[in-house]
Amino acid sequence: MLKDEPHFLRSIKSSVRNLNAYRVTQDFSRVKLNQNESPFDVPQDLKEEISRKLLEYQWNRYPDNFASGLTAKLSAYTGFPAQGIIPGNSSNELLQALIYATCNSGDTVVVTTPGFPIYKRIADVMDIRVREVSLRRDFSVDPGHVIAASGGARLVVLASPNNPTGLTVPIEDIDAIATAIDGILVVDEAYFEFCNQSAQQLLAKHWNIIVVRTFSKAFNLAGMRLGYMIGNPELMDELGKAKLPFSVGLFQQAAGETVLENQAFVKTNVARIISERERVANELKSIPLLQVFPSSANFILIRSWKV
Ligand code: PMP
């Protein structure tokens, strides 16, 4: 603490003051790669449809807290019962609700590294301990290491596909981890639409798995802030209490419903991104001293070796 700083800053707890501000360059270059967003915007006719819906709503009223219309459409999209689905104001919000609903200060969350930095950031605010399990040299997850690290942990978080590696965690490994741990296993599937596997298939077998997804990538809606989680309905009832009420506003509900009613553009864009991903990866492989990792997401991890 600086000697001459205003005294009111001392009210801010050290776990917050020690964080670095979360700064991301708002780069508007034609090719913008730093946030793994979709390069495509939502089609104009759908933007107009969303705007029309918004004009019909009453803005002076709070939105439906359970976003029932959106949840019903998510149920059709995922093939999962609506009682086991909670939409949120981005997957980040849901990850925060999950971590805060399960952990007190001093409790432990297990994550893999390198990984998405937000899990640790959320935990740090509440002095929740984060045990970081290193990925193997090829960036795959060692399930034995995750299981060994998870003793006493309330939560294990795996991203599949992982950011920044683009690798999925094999379903057998997710199955083995969910079987072995006492706590909850969160599988962050932000890039789900770009790969062809999901831990959703394990939900009937493992009550302790929760799948978290976002509209920010395949649905081209990063600016809107919309995500959802799916899992055991009893667990969802409890977790829903930790989320802020009304955090999914009218705008997100209208946008989410409209894109789910008109998914053709999502499939087209995902197919374009996957074919472009493979084309660029193959081109990059021909450049000496570049190691290109196989990606199941909408980005590619490259290692460059110095001569
Ligand atoms: N999880 C992972 C693995 C991500 O890479 C990202 C975004 N970069 C998110 C979650 C956050 O998604 P949202 O926009 O829904 O907060």
Side-chain angles (χ1 to χ4, degrees):
M1 198 172 293
L2 299 172
K3 230 170 121 204
D4 52 356
E5 71 180 8
H7 72 278
F8 51 79
L9 284 181
R10 287 177 212 148
S11 295
I12 309 291
K13 55 187 186 172
S14 55
S15 62
V16 172
R17 298 205 65 189
N18 291 338
L19 292 176
N20 294 321
Y22 195 77
R23 285 189 223 287
V24 182
T25 323
Q26 277 304 76
D27 175 345
F28 291 101
S29 317
R30 203 166 64 81
V31 178
K32 176 179 184 298
L33 301 175
N34 66 337
Q35 289 180 282
N36 303 343
E37 298 145 311
S38 173
F40 309 114
D41 201 345
V42 171
Q44 187 65 20
D45 57 331
L46 293 189
K47 283 184 166 177
E48 282 164 13
E49 194 175 326
I50 295 165
S51 310
R52 264 197 306 278
K53 281 187 186 160
L54 277 175
L55 288 175
E56 283 164 19
Y57 292 160
Q58 267 190 282
W59 293 16
N60 57 323
R61 301 293 181 198
Y62 285 100
D64 171 1
N65 190 23
F66 299 102
S68 323
L70 173 61
T71 306
K73 292 197 164 51
L74 279 170
S75 173
Y77 176 64
T78 57
F80 200 73
Q83 302 87 312
I85 302 178
I86 299 184
N89 184 310
S90 77
S91 56
N92 282 348
E93 186 208 24
L94 296 169
L95 291 161
Q96 185 189 47
L98 266 166
I99 293 174
Y100 292 168
T102 51
C103 298
N104 286 312
S105 300
D107 286 339
T108 301
V109 175
V110 173
V111 302
T112 54
T113 184
F116 185 47
I118 293 291
Y119 316 133
K120 180 165 163 40
R121 199 177 166 82
I122 293 168
D124 282 349
V125 171
M126 295 302 292
D127 287 317
I128 294 162
R129 289 186 205 148
V130 177
R131 230 173 259 157
E132 298 182 81
V133 177
S134 295
L135 298 174
R136 296 187 182 113
R137 280 183 65 80
D138 63 1
F139 292 135
S140 61
V141 170
D142 183 332
H145 279 175
V146 173
I147 293 166
S150 70
R154 303 187 80 94
L155 210 60
V156 174
V157 186
L158 295 176
S160 180
N162 186 27
N163 172 6
T165 65
L167 268 67
T168 50
V169 185
I171 287 292
E172 317 80 79
D173 292 347
I174 297 176
D175 191 348
I177 293 168
T179 306
I181 64 172
D182 290 327
I184 288 175
L185 173 59
V186 177
V187 185
D188 179 349
E189 295 189 350
Y191 304 95
F192 153 69
E193 283 85 359
F194 303 98
C195 69
N196 49 19
Q197 72 156 55
S198 169
Q200 185 180 331
Q201 68 185 88
L202 297 172
L203 290 178
K205 181 174 172 194
H206 295 292
W207 69 267
N208 61 335
I209 294 181
I210 295 170
V211 174
V212 180
R213 298 197 189 130
T214 183
F215 278 73
S216 298
K217 312 296 176 183
F219 283 94
N220 310 5
L221 282 176
M224 202 66 66
R225 314 310 293 132
L226 185 60
Y228 62 99
M229 59 181 170
I230 60 182
N232 177 301
E234 274 180 74
L235 198 52
M236 290 295 125
D237 277 351
E238 295 306 322
L239 292 169
K241 298 178 194 169
K243 192 183 100 25
L244 281 179
F246 312 112
S247 65
V248 182
L250 291 176
F251 206 177
Q252 288 118 312
Q253 294 191 30
E257 286 179 26
T258 308
V259 296
L260 287 170
E261 282 158 11
N262 298 276
Q263 288 168 38
F265 82 95
V266 177
K267 292 203 178 75
T268 312
N269 288 347
V270 166
R272 278 173 77 185
I273 290 168
I274 291 175
S275 83
E276 192 61 5
R277 177 185 78 199
E278 297 310 309
R279 186 189 69 77
V280 173
N282 281 330
E283 292 287 330
L284 289 169
K285 279 181 199 154
S286 64
I287 302 175
L289 301 175
L290 282 192
Q291 184 180 0
V292 182
F293 290 87
S295 171
S296 298
N298 65 350
F299 56 86
I300 303 170
L301 178 69
I302 305 161
R303 178 183 276 147
S304 74
W305 299 100
K306 285 201 193 112
V307 205

